[in-house]
Amino acid sequence: MGDSEKLDRNNPDLKYLVVERNAFNDPMTQAEWTTKRLVWIPHETQGFVQASIKGERGDEVEVEIQETGKRTSVAKDDLQKMNPPKFDKVEDMAELTCLNEASVLNNIKDRYYSGLIYTYSGLFCVVVNPYRRLPIYTERVIELYKGKKRHEVPPHVFAITDGAYRSMLQDREDQSILCTGESGAGKTENTKKVIQYLAYVAASKPKSTSTSHTGELEQQLLQANPILEAFGNAKTVKNDNSSRFGKFIRINFDASGYIAGANIESYLLEKSRAIRQAKDERAFHIFYQLLAGATPEQRAEYILEDKNKYSFLSNGFLQVPGVDDVQEYHQTCKAMNIMGLNQDDLNALFRIVSAVMLFGNMQFKQDRNSDQAVLPDNTVAQKISRLLGLQVVDMTKAFLKPKIKVGRDYVTKAQTKEQVEFAVEAICKACYEKMFKWLVNRINKSLDRTKRQGASFIGILDMAGFEIFELNSFEQLCINYTNEKLQQLFNHTMFILEQEEYQREGIEWKFIDFGLDLQPTIDLIEKPMGIMALLDEECWFPKATDKTFVEKLVTSHSAHPKYVKADFRGVADFALVHYAGRVDYAASQWLMKNMDPLNENVVSLLQSSQDSFTALIWKDAEIVGMAQQAMTDTQFGARTRKGMFRTVSQLYKEQLAKLMSTLRNTSPNFVRCIIPNHEKKSGKIDAVLVLDQLRCNGVLEGIRICRQGFPNRIPFQEFRQRYELLTPNVIPKGFMDGKIACEKMINAIELDPNLYRIGQSKIFFRAGVLAHLEEERDFKITDLVVNFQAYCRGLLARKNFQKRVQQLNAIRIIQRNCTAYLKLRNWQWWRLYTKVKPLLQVTKQEEKLTQKEDELKQVKEKLDMQAKQVQELDKKFQTLVEEKSVLAEQLQAETELCAEAEEMRARLAARKQELEEVLHDLEARVEEEEERNIKINEEKKKLQTTIADLEEQLEEEESARQKIQLEKVQIEARLKKLEEDLALADEVSKEKKAMEEKVSDLSQALAEEEEKSKHLAELKEKHETSLSDLEERLSKEQESNKEFEALKATTAAEQELRTKREQELALLKKSLEEESGHHESQLMEMRHKHSQELAVLQEQMDNAKKIKEALEKAKATLAAENADMANEIKSIATSKAETDRKRKHLESQVIELEKTQRNFDKILAEEKAISERFASERDAAERDAREKETKVLSLSRDLEEYIVKIEELERSRRVLQNELDETRNT
């Protein structure tokens, strides 16, 4: 901050970047602040207001508000200390001695009212949206910040960017710049400014006067933002150009620092905005740009309708003040051309955009007789089908009567009007999202086309900040979860840098990892059985609902400190305690949002679309189908095993894990964006709104961390210069080391040791200590000034009194002389005296003349003496001047020697430090080697004992081996016998095969007989049918006979025919019964024979199998025993050889270690001798330096005394000369 004050304040580019600080250092302002005892008190609308303390009553304080003069009582705990005026509008809020919410808010507010939108707060930069264009982003401003350190220039996002860029080049460490904040706070604009700065500073080609270079990498990088803004930004209530997605822009640089390429990753696109918008809000900009800027030919090609007829544009064709959508459309097309997208790509993108808008115009109705939805007019469907390359019949059928899989079969499911509209909206959202992802990938392809190798990168994160609405949904949980992780990274990074400062200064500090403070909330969200895991689990159950999900949360986490149960009177389902405060969540539609289900019939149509672009963006679609909602248990198991899809929370967790891994491997830089008011008015601050954002952005969290440490630090010289008057006569005159002087001052002030730490070059204080010292200093200065004023007033009063006394005496004398004159003026003798008195002086003139001559002689003698003295003094002066020049030369030489000695001392100190480090390393290595030696000796002893044991075991194993050899011979004999038995078993198996062949022949014969029996059964059935026909005919004839009998008109021929037919029927019945009985008896005999033979053969086969199995088991056991024995013998031999080899190797290692130990002892002794020698040399040099310093001080003191004497002689010479001149004149 101090160096930024040295800038040329007349520079017009710095008008909105720096502020005049002389007014804040005014002693009168400081004294007024001290006397009024000003503090901050809470206020409903202004956040905090100034008040002065008037009195105290117990736990309450009576204060007077400065603005209104109203008096009120406030609890002591609600008061917040105010910083002295010298800290007003400070550029870095970490310098505030009173770090509290009120002071931070007041500093930001005062700077904002002065047009200063950027402020540092320790490690990060806070920026407040100005809601107007400021001339602080020009190329001239970039040149001001180029290559400067942060403290040399005023706060600016350019300073943060340049610091990241220089750190990347110098340290070869990847950097990241994190821009966070609410919608409308300026995240996107600051991201653009970061890219603008990097594109200017790190451009691979020299700047030219032309406005653009088509195809140049830096130009393409700048043009990526307009494209992403057109497709991913929208107008909201808070912001006319709000980013509805998060992005991480990774800019790669080569080893020379030039831009080598870039890559963009997108997060959480708000795809629901494509189908529905809140009041006074718009969908994505590209919808309105296309409708306003498309030519008549393009309108025909993209099948665009009237801009007010799209139902998905909830608020119609809403205009943004000051924005021309036609011009924006042409700029977007131009940017896409620069990015390398051809006209076919643009046509494909705009066809998808038009189809998304048209989807909302499909009007479905409910069938009167059923729940089935119908589409009376398919005109819009035909337009959509043409744009997406689909068949209109297939598409409408897929929406209205989709097929779902139930078990192994597909069934057609009737859809209600609500279900169809939900499916259309889901497809519409997914279509736009997939198009957006393709566009991002296409931009990345253009930006990565360079062949230069990227050595390191700077990543810019533009992510939505913490969101706390009255009711928050699934999207807010994801955003807040992200911000918890980012805040944890910030806390961790901030403390690490603080700790490095403490370590550099060598102060005592106990490690505290503030990142762990946020871990319970993060675990509650992301760990197994956490909120997201339970949500994923519920998505698998067919009967799960949002209510069952909330019940599971209550069961699992009701005792968690960061989980809050819902109030039965409230609308929220549960609440979480985030670092920014409590957030209430409503779990409505969470399962649907997490699964994001799509109609798989429509998806399959889109994947096989005739339009290549549509098929491309849907190629790798992972979907949750409608059948997911009606899964059975078996399907559940199958889907779990196959992993058909991943939920939104799983995908987001993976994305976030990759992002956090990338950020942890970088050095992060933080930019916190603040929205000042919701009216989008310039120069207005809503204090309550800003305070909420300061909490959500982690600014106050960072201040909390600062308060735990020592946020205020001041160099020794400045501390001594400013606060030495608090400790008079403590520091003796002459030179004293700054650290020692500060220690003496601190001891005299009697500060609590816990409130400060003394480092190597600075003294550190806890928050509020410097304010206390400032107050004490003000009181001391006030006392000194009052005493000085009293002394001066007393002196002036005494002088005035003496003057008045002298005037009184003079008046009395004048009065006395006047009265005497009035008495004598008419007396004759007085008149005579006045006339005679002049005549009396004539007789005394000769006496006076002689007297004057004597006086003249005396003056001449005195003048001669003084002339001689002057000559002598001149000689002395010349000699003193010569001595002075000699002494000055000696002083210069001694100064140079002192500087050389100081350099030598510094070199020796550095060498000593290096040697101490080497010595420390060597000692550590010696300790490690000693420990290794001890371990090796122990291992050697263990190995010796194990070797002895192994030798004993080897002897035992040798004897066992001999026994095993004998057993082996016996086993081999048994094996031969078993092999003979096995040969017999082979013969049995051959017999078995013959039996099996016989069985197969019999089974074939049986099959033939069964076929015959089937044939006979068929014949039987035929005969039975013919018999039934004959019986029917007989019954008919009997009926006719009855009729004939009734009519009595029968003839003899008919009687004979009837008798013949009855005989034929009886013969047929008899023959059929005989054949069937004969066939059944034959079949029974054959079955009986076959079953007997089969039983015999089965018994023989079982016996053979048993014998074979027994033989195989015996053979296997013998072979296994034989192999085990051989393996044991081999292992024993190899283990013996291995132990011998290890023993020899260990012995050689021990010998080598002993040698290295001796070498280390020798090196250690040499290094100790060298360090002792250097220490002695350093002590001698320091002693010489001190002696020379004292000699220089004494010489300078003598020189000062000589100069004083010379000045006194010169003064006396001048006095004598003046007296001589006066004497001559008289």
Side-chain angles (χ1 to χ4, degrees):
M1 184 185 82
D3 291 336
S4 68
E5 294 172 359
K6 300 175 185 176
L7 295 171
D8 182 11
R9 297 187 179 277
N10 296 322
N11 190 341
D13 294 324
L14 298 178
K15 180 181 177 182
Y16 296 101
L17 293 173
V18 295
V19 65
E20 185 66 39
R21 300 208 57 81
N22 291 333
F24 306 135
N25 297 323
D26 184 14
M28 296 297 293
T29 310
Q30 187 81 10
E32 182 183 0
W33 174 82
T34 306
T35 54
K36 286 186 176 180
R37 298 176 67 194
L38 293 174
V39 292
W40 295 107
I41 63 170
H43 192 271
E44 291 182 359
T45 57
Q46 299 182 36
F48 296 91
V49 292
Q50 292 184 10
S52 58
I53 298 176
K54 297 300 180 183
E56 297 184 11
R57 294 193 301 271
D59 294 335
E60 289 190 345
V61 178
E62 186 181 1
V63 295
E64 181 182 302
I65 299 173
Q66 291 294 294
E67 287 185 2
T68 61
K70 179 183 175 182
R71 292 204 176 193
T72 183
S73 295
V74 182
K76 278 186 179 179
D77 295 337
D78 292 337
L79 294 180
Q80 295 193 17
K81 291 184 178 180
M82 183 182 292
N83 288 285
K86 65 170 282 191
F87 293 105
D88 287 352
K89 298 183 185 178
V90 70
E91 291 181 348
D92 190 347
M93 291 187 291
E95 296 177 7
L96 294 174
T97 183
C98 295
L99 275 172
N100 48 49
E101 293 183 5
S103 299
V104 170
L105 176 63
N106 178 69
N107 194 69
I108 290 174
K109 191 191 299 183
D110 286 350
R111 286 180 64 82
Y112 185 71
Y113 290 151
S114 300
L116 309 170
I117 63 171
Y118 289 103
T119 308
Y120 292 135
S121 181
L123 300 177
F124 54 90
C125 180
V126 178
V127 53
V128 185
N129 192 338
Y131 283 124
R132 58 174 172 152
R133 296 193 181 277
L134 297 176
I136 57 175
Y137 304 107
T138 61
E139 290 188 0
R140 289 183 305 187
V141 176
I142 292 177
E143 287 293 340
L144 284 175
Y145 282 85
K146 189 176 177 181
K148 298 287 195 307
K149 294 180 180 177
R150 196 178 92 160
H151 63 273
E152 295 175 350
V153 284
H156 201 296
V157 72
F158 287 167
I160 299 291
T161 310
D162 191 81
Y165 180 66
R166 303 299 162 190
S167 298
M168 180 197 70
L169 292 178
Q170 293 168 10
D171 304 333
R172 295 296 173 192
E173 184 179 6
D174 297 330
Q175 304 286 316
S176 59
I177 300 173
L178 285 69
C179 300
T180 59
E182 278 192 22
S183 176
K187 301 185 298 297
T188 303
E189 289 300 316
N190 279 281
T191 301
K192 284 156 59 174
K193 301 311 176 191
V194 170
I195 296 171
Q196 173 195 347
Y197 186 87
L198 292 174
Y200 183 89
V201 173
S204 56
K205 294 181 181 179
K207 309 288 180 301
S208 66
T209 55
S210 61
T211 55
S212 65
H213 299 284
T214 303
E216 188 180 352
L217 181 59
E218 290 77 19
Q219 187 67 17
Q220 287 188 336
L221 181 59
L222 291 172
Q223 293 301 323
N225 261 315
I227 301 171
L228 292 175
E229 285 183 13
F231 285 86
N233 286 26
K235 178 190 182 303
T236 64
V237 176
K238 297 181 181 179
N239 186 5
D240 290 342
N241 187 29
S242 174
S243 294
R244 306 320 299 160
F245 68 103
K247 60 179 176 288
F248 183 70
I249 304 170
R250 173 177 172 146
I251 303 176
N252 299 311
F253 299 84
D254 60 18
S256 303
Y258 294 125
I259 294 177
N263 183 272
I264 300 171
E265 292 180 19
S266 61
Y267 303 91
L268 277 183
L269 175 70
E270 189 190 1
K271 55 189 178 182
S272 60
R273 185 167 288 272
I275 63 169
R276 197 175 294 107
Q277 306 89 42
K279 186 181 178 183
D280 296 331
E281 293 192 353
R282 299 208 315 176
F284 297 105
H285 292 325
I286 192 63
F287 293 174
Y288 306 90
Q289 292 177 9
L290 182 62
L291 291 172
T295 63
E297 294 80 11
Q298 290 174 336
R299 295 185 72 86
E301 183 179 355
Y302 308 144
I303 317 178
L304 295 175
E305 298 185 353
D306 183 73
K307 54 189 178 184
N308 292 313
K309 289 185 178 180
Y310 289 101
S311 61
F312 274 174
L313 303 183
S314 305
N315 300 308
F317 194 83
L318 187 64
Q319 293 280 355
V320 178
V323 176
D324 184 359
D325 286 318
V326 177
Q327 186 179 356
E328 292 292 322
Y329 171 73
H330 294 306
Q331 288 181 356
T332 303
C333 293
K334 181 181 177 183
M336 289 197 283
N337 288 328
I338 293 174
M339 192 56 67
L341 276 74
N342 55 35
Q343 190 60 42
D344 292 338
D345 295 332
L346 268 64
N347 292 338
L349 288 168
F350 293 145
R351 280 199 300 271
I352 295 292
V353 173
S354 177
V356 167
M357 291 191 289
L358 280 170
F359 267 119
N361 292 351
M362 293 174 67
Q363 300 293 325
F364 297 97
K365 292 185 178 179
Q366 195 80 24
D367 192 1
R368 294 179 180 179
N369 302 323
S370 65
D371 291 337
Q372 176 66 52
V374 293
L375 182 64
D377 184 6
N378 68 347
T379 306
V380 178
Q382 290 177 11
K383 295 177 182 179
I384 295 170
S385 300
R386 182 185 165 192
L387 290 168
L388 298 179
L390 306 177
Q391 295 294 326
V392 64
V393 177
D394 295 338
M395 187 185 76
T396 53
K397 186 178 179 182
F399 275 122
L400 297 172
K401 296 181 179 179
K403 291 182 179 179
I404 64 172
K405 192 174 183 180
V406 178
R408 295 182 179 179
D409 300 325
Y410 285 91
V411 296
T412 302
K413 186 175 184 295
Q415 297 287 291
T416 63
K417 180 175 178 287
E418 290 77 13
Q419 289 173 332
V420 174
E421 288 174 348
F422 178 83
V424 169
E425 289 179 354
I427 289 291
C428 180
K429 292 186 292 184
C431 213
Y432 192 84
E433 181 185 32
K434 292 182 183 302
M435 178 202 68
F436 184 78
K437 287 182 178 177
W438 179 90
L439 181 61
V440 172
N441 292 331
R442 181 65 183 79
I443 292 171
N444 290 336
K445 185 179 177 183
S446 296
L447 294 177
D448 281 343
R449 62 180 173 79
T450 178
K451 295 180 180 178
R452 285 176 292 178
Q453 183 64 33
S456 48
F457 71 86
I458 294 178
I460 305 113
L461 180 68
D462 176 6
M463 183 68 75
F466 209 95
E467 292 185 351
I468 305 178
F469 302 126
E470 289 185 8
L471 277 180
N472 302 274
S473 189
F474 179 67
E475 292 82 4
Q476 278 72 45
L477 178 71
C478 293
I479 291 169
N480 295 345
Y481 166 50
T482 304
N483 280 273
E484 286 280 348
K485 300 279 280 187
L486 292 175
Q487 186 63 30
Q488 187 183 42
L489 173 70
F490 167 73
N491 289 2
H492 183 67
T493 305
M494 183 175 183
F495 180 74
I496 281 178
L497 294 179
E498 283 285 307
Q499 187 187 31
E500 287 176 359
E501 176 76 11
Y502 296 158
Q503 286 178 346
R504 276 198 301 271
E505 292 291 330
I507 68 173
E508 297 177 6
W509 176 257
K510 187 177 179 182
F511 181 81
I512 304 171
D513 190 351
F514 288 97
L516 297 177
D517 292 356
L518 280 69
Q519 195 61 43
T521 306
I522 294 171
D523 290 344
L524 176 61
I525 297 172
E526 72 176 6
K527 288 293 183 184
M529 294 304 293
I531 293 173
M532 285 189 170
L534 289 175
L535 183 61
D536 290 341
E537 183 181 312
E538 285 295 286
C539 289
W540 285 112
F541 289 101
K543 294 183 180 179
T545 61
D546 298 323
K547 186 178 179 182
T548 59
F549 165 64
V550 174
E551 289 171 354
K552 269 196 176 182
L553 286 181
V554 173
T555 306
S556 304
H557 302 298
S558 57
H560 198 284
K562 301 295 182 181
Y563 180 87
V564 182
K565 290 182 182 178
D567 188 357
F568 67 93
R569 291 170 294 184
V571 186
D573 294 307
F574 66 95
L576 298 181
V577 181
H578 293 279
Y579 72 89
R582 170 178 166 164
V583 183
D584 293 321
Y585 293 98
S588 175
Q589 295 293 314
W590 278 35
L591 269 67
M592 277 295 176
K593 289 178 180 178
N594 194 36
M595 288 190 295
D596 201 11
L598 297 174
N599 185 326
E600 58 242 50
N601 293 258
V602 181
V603 171
S604 61
L605 288 176
L606 291 167
Q607 288 173 334
S608 58
S609 169
Q610 296 175 1
D611 181 56
S612 58
F613 182 76
T614 304
L616 176 64
I617 64 175
W618 281 94
K619 180 176 66 174
D620 300 323
E622 291 184 358
I623 60 168
V624 184
M626 293 177 298
Q628 173 69 21
Q629 301 170 16
M631 285 190 305
T632 60
D633 293 339
T634 55
Q635 287 174 315
F636 170 77
R639 283 195 178 247
T640 305
R641 285 194 301 273
K642 292 179 183 176
M644 286 283 289
F645 75 97
R646 287 177 296 171
T647 60
V648 173
S649 62
Q650 288 172 345
L651 291 170
Y652 187 65
K653 277 169 67 178
E654 288 177 11
Q655 268 192 317
L656 183 59
K658 289 178 184 176
L659 174 64
M660 296 308 299
S661 175
T662 303
L663 293 178
R664 288 191 194 97
N665 293 325
T666 64
S667 177
N669 303 269
F670 299 91
V671 178
R672 306 302 205 193
C673 303
I674 302 292
I675 181 171
N677 57 74
H678 287 314
E679 291 82 14
K680 303 176 187 175
K681 289 184 179 178
S682 177
K684 180 183 177 183
I685 286 272
D686 185 344
V688 178
L689 175 64
V690 172
L691 267 177
D692 288 339
Q693 291 174 86
L694 291 175
R695 293 189 187 98
C696 295
N697 256 330
V699 177
L700 301 180
E701 179 77 1
I703 289 169
R704 182 181 71 84
I705 294 174
C706 279
R707 292 177 68 86
Q708 295 288 328
F710 300 91
N712 299 124
R713 54 210 68 179
I714 185 170
F716 293 145
Q717 185 65 28
E718 187 178 343
F719 179 77
R720 178 178 175 181
Q721 182 180 352
R722 189 163 184 82
Y723 300 110
E724 190 173 1
L725 58 88
L726 294 177
T727 57
N729 304 323
V730 170
I731 300 174
K733 291 183 179 180
F735 174 77
M736 177 175 282
D737 182 65
K739 184 174 182 179
I740 299 170
C742 288
E743 287 175 350
K744 287 182 175 294
M745 288 172 62
I746 289 290
N747 292 331
I749 294 171
E750 296 180 352
L751 271 181
D752 185 356
N754 189 41
L755 298 178
Y756 69 91
R757 294 287 187 275
I758 298 176
Q760 300 297 331
S761 63
K762 302 172 187 172
I763 182 166
F764 293 74
F765 294 100
R766 292 204 186 274
V769 176
L770 275 184
H772 172 69
L773 292 179
E774 282 290 320
E775 202 171 331
E776 293 290 330
R777 179 176 177 273
D778 292 338
F779 285 139
K780 187 73 174 178
I781 290 173
T782 304
D783 292 341
L784 291 173
V785 170
V786 168
N787 291 333
F788 179 70
Q789 288 175 341
Y791 179 78
C792 292
R793 285 172 180 167
L795 181 63
L796 292 173
R798 283 191 292 273
K799 282 186 177 181
N800 193 20
F801 176 73
Q802 293 294 334
K803 186 178 179 182
R804 292 290 180 89
V805 169
Q806 290 173 1
Q807 287 176 351
L808 182 62
N809 293 332
I811 288 169
R812 286 174 179 170
I813 291 168
I814 290 169
Q815 287 176 343
R816 188 169 62 248
N817 289 335
C818 288
T819 54
Y821 174 72
L822 291 173
K823 288 178 182 179
L824 294 172
R825 69 179 177 175
N826 294 323
W827 190 29
Q828 297 299 325
W829 286 104
W830 173 254
R831 287 182 178 180
L832 180 64
Y833 174 72
T834 55
K835 289 179 180 179
V836 173
K837 186 178 180 182
L839 298 174
L840 295 175
Q841 299 293 332
V842 177
T843 57
K844 294 181 179 180
Q845 282 185 357
E846 293 180 357
E847 294 178 1
K848 286 183 179 180
L849 186 61
T850 55
Q851 187 178 359
K852 290 291 182 183
E853 287 177 352
D854 294 335
E855 288 179 358
L856 183 61
K857 287 180 182 178
Q858 290 176 1
V859 167
K860 282 182 178 180
E861 291 174 357
K862 192 182 279 188
L863 181 63
D864 293 336
M865 289 176 64
Q866 286 179 352
K868 289 179 183 178
Q869 287 179 357
V870 166
Q871 289 176 357
E872 291 176 358
L873 288 171
D874 285 335
K875 290 179 182 178
K876 285 183 180 180
F877 179 71
Q878 292 295 329
T879 55
L880 287 171
V881 167
E882 291 174 358
E883 287 179 1
K884 176 186 175 185
S885 62
V886 172
L887 287 171
E889 291 175 357
Q890 290 180 357
L891 180 62
Q892 182 67 28
E894 292 295 336
T895 305
E896 291 175 356
L897 288 171
C898 182
E900 291 176 359
E902 184 65 27
E903 289 179 3
M904 177 67 77
R905 188 185 68 78
R907 287 198 298 270
L908 288 172
R911 178 62 179 163
K912 179 193 171 188
Q913 189 173 359
E914 291 175 2
L915 291 172
E916 284 178 350
E917 291 176 357
V918 171
L919 181 63
H920 181 69
D921 294 339
L922 289 172
E923 287 175 351
R925 288 173 62 185
V926 166
E927 289 177 358
E928 291 176 1
E929 293 297 335
E930 286 176 353
E931 291 176 357
R932 285 180 59 189
N933 196 6
I934 292 167
K935 290 180 180 177
I936 287 168
N937 288 328
E938 292 176 354
E939 289 178 359
K940 180 181 175 183
K941 290 178 182 178
K942 290 179 181 178
L943 286 172
Q944 286 174 352
T945 53
T946 52
I947 286 166
D949 294 337
L950 285 172
E951 286 175 351
E952 291 176 1
Q953 289 180 7
L954 190 60
E955 291 174 357
E956 293 175 357
E957 294 294 336
E958 186 64 30
S959 60
R961 189 177 67 80
Q962 292 175 359
K963 291 179 182 178
I964 288 165
Q965 194 68 29
L966 293 172
E967 292 178 357
K968 179 183 176 185
V969 174
Q970 295 173 1
I971 288 166
E972 284 176 352
R974 287 172 60 192
L975 188 61
K976 286 180 182 178
K977 189 177 179 182
L978 288 170
E979 284 175 352
E980 292 173 358
D981 294 339
L982 191 61
L984 293 172
D986 291 337
E987 292 177 359
V988 172
S989 65
K990 289 177 182 176
E991 291 177 1
K992 177 187 172 185
K993 285 181 181 177
M995 290 289 187
E996 287 175 350
E997 290 174 357
K998 195 173 180 181
V999 168
S1000 64
D1001 294 337
L1002 288 170
S1003 60
Q1004 288 177 359
L1006 182 62
E1008 290 174 358
E1009 291 297 329
E1010 286 178 350
E1011 288 177 0
K1012 287 180 181 179
S1013 64
K1014 286 179 182 177
H1015 181 62
L1016 291 171
E1018 289 174 358
L1019 289 173
K1020 182 180 176 183
E1021 287 177 359
K1022 287 181 181 178
H1023 288 305
E1024 285 177 351
T1025 52
S1026 62
L1027 188 62
S1028 60
D1029 293 338
L1030 290 171
E1031 286 178 350
E1032 287 178 0
R1033 288 169 63 189
L1034 180 61
S1035 61
K1036 288 179 181 178
E1037 287 179 359
Q1038 286 176 354
E1039 288 176 358
S1040 62
N1041 288 335
K1042 289 178 182 178
E1043 290 176 359
F1044 289 142
E1045 285 177 0
L1047 296 172
K1048 293 185 178 182
T1050 58
T1051 59
E1054 288 174 352
Q1055 186 67 28
E1056 288 176 3
L1057 182 63
R1058 183 171 62 82
T1059 54
K1060 282 180 182 179
R1061 286 178 179 173
E1062 287 178 356
Q1063 289 173 0
E1064 288 174 1
L1065 184 62
L1067 289 171
L1068 283 170
K1069 279 185 179 179
K1070 187 176 180 182
S1071 64
L1072 183 61
E1073 288 175 356
E1074 287 176 356
E1075 284 180 2
S1076 61
H1078 180 65
H1079 179 71
E1080 285 178 358
S1081 62
Q1082 283 182 350
L1083 188 63
M1084 290 293 290
E1085 286 176 2
M1086 287 180 72
R1087 282 181 179 171
H1088 182 65
K1089 286 179 182 178
H1090 183 266
S1091 61
Q1092 285 179 350
E1093 289 176 357
L1094 194 63
V1096 172
L1097 287 171
Q1098 190 66 36
E1099 190 174 349
Q1100 289 176 357
M1101 283 175 66
D1102 291 340
N1103 293 330
K1105 279 183 182 178
K1106 287 178 182 177
I1107 293 166
K1108 187 178 179 181
E1109 287 175 357
L1111 290 171
E1112 286 177 351
K1113 282 182 182 177
K1115 183 180 178 181
T1117 53
L1118 290 171
E1121 288 176 359
N1122 193 6
D1124 291 340
M1125 292 296 180
N1127 290 333
E1128 285 180 2
I1129 291 163
K1130 286 180 184 177
S1131 63
I1132 289 164
T1134 52
S1135 64
K1136 182 180 179 184
E1138 185 68 22
T1139 51
D1140 291 337
R1141 189 177 61 78
K1142 282 185 180 178
R1143 181 171 56 79
K1144 290 177 182 177
H1145 181 64
L1146 288 171
E1147 287 175 355
S1148 63
Q1149 277 187 347
V1150 169
I1151 293 165
E1152 288 176 0
L1153 284 171
E1154 288 174 353
K1155 287 180 183 177
T1156 53
Q1157 181 69 39
R1158 286 195 292 273
N1159 290 332
F1160 274 124
D1161 292 339
K1162 193 184 295 180
I1163 292 166
L1164 187 61
E1166 290 175 358
E1167 292 294 338
K1168 283 183 178 177
I1170 291 167
S1171 63
E1172 288 173 358
R1173 189 174 76 249
F1174 277 121
S1176 61
E1177 289 176 0
R1178 184 198 64 198
D1179 295 338
E1182 289 178 351
R1183 201 179 306 110
D1184 293 339
R1186 284 195 294 273
E1187 289 175 358
K1188 287 175 181 177
E1189 285 176 0
T1190 53
K1191 192 173 181 182
V1192 167
L1193 289 171
S1194 63
L1195 287 171
S1196 60
R1197 206 176 293 116
D1198 294 339
L1199 181 62
E1200 289 173 357
E1201 290 175 358
Y1202 281 128
I1203 290 167
V1204 170
K1205 286 180 181 178
I1206 289 166
E1207 289 174 351
E1208 289 176 355
L1209 289 170
E1210 184 68 26
R1211 203 178 297 112
S1212 63
R1213 189 178 69 78
R1214 286 194 193 117
V1215 171
L1216 290 170
Q1217 188 68 37
N1218 291 332
E1219 290 178 356
L1220 181 62
D1221 293 339
E1222 288 175 0
T1223 307
R1224 283 175 181 170
N1225 293 328
T1226 55

